[in-house]
Amino acid sequence: MIETLDKLFAQSQTVVLVSNELFEAGVLEEPTYSYMKMLGELHQYIVEKADVAICVEAGIYRFKKGKECVDI
């Protein structure tokens, strides 16, 4: 999955990814926990590579990374 994302990032000038809150329902038991942990690590990788990361909840946005890169 990371190799695919890296290819996408290399071939695209702009990539917009939308994700939901992974652990909103709490931490579940195996095997769901391992799946959620893998998704969390993938999410962290994407944010690490991103110029901008924004969290939106109930229509209110908060910059997590790169506020100076966006004109909202």
Side-chain angles (χ1 to χ4, degrees), residues 1 22-23 33-43:
M1 181 65 101
L22 296 175
F23 297 99
Y33 172 77
S34 293
Y35 175 71
M36 290 173 65
K37 183 177 179 194
M38 188 246 345
L39 286 178
E41 291 169 356
L42 184 60
H43 189 264

Side-chain angles (χ1 to χ4, degrees), residues 7-59:
K7 288 178 185 176
L8 176 66
F9 297 150
Q11 295 174 3
S12 305
Q13 184 176 4
T14 301
V15 176
V16 177
L17 297 172
V18 178
S19 177
N20 64 333
E21 179 62 46
L22 296 175
F23 297 99
E24 185 174 307
V27 178
L28 305 174
E29 296 180 9
E30 291 293 345
T32 307
Y33 172 77
S34 293
Y35 175 71
M36 290 173 65
K37 183 177 179 194
M38 188 246 345
L39 286 178
E41 291 169 356
L42 184 60
H43 189 264
Q44 289 177 10
Y45 179 79
I46 292 167
V47 171
E48 178 185 310
K49 296 290 186 180
D51 294 326
V52 178
I54 303 170
C55 177
V56 181
E57 296 180 50

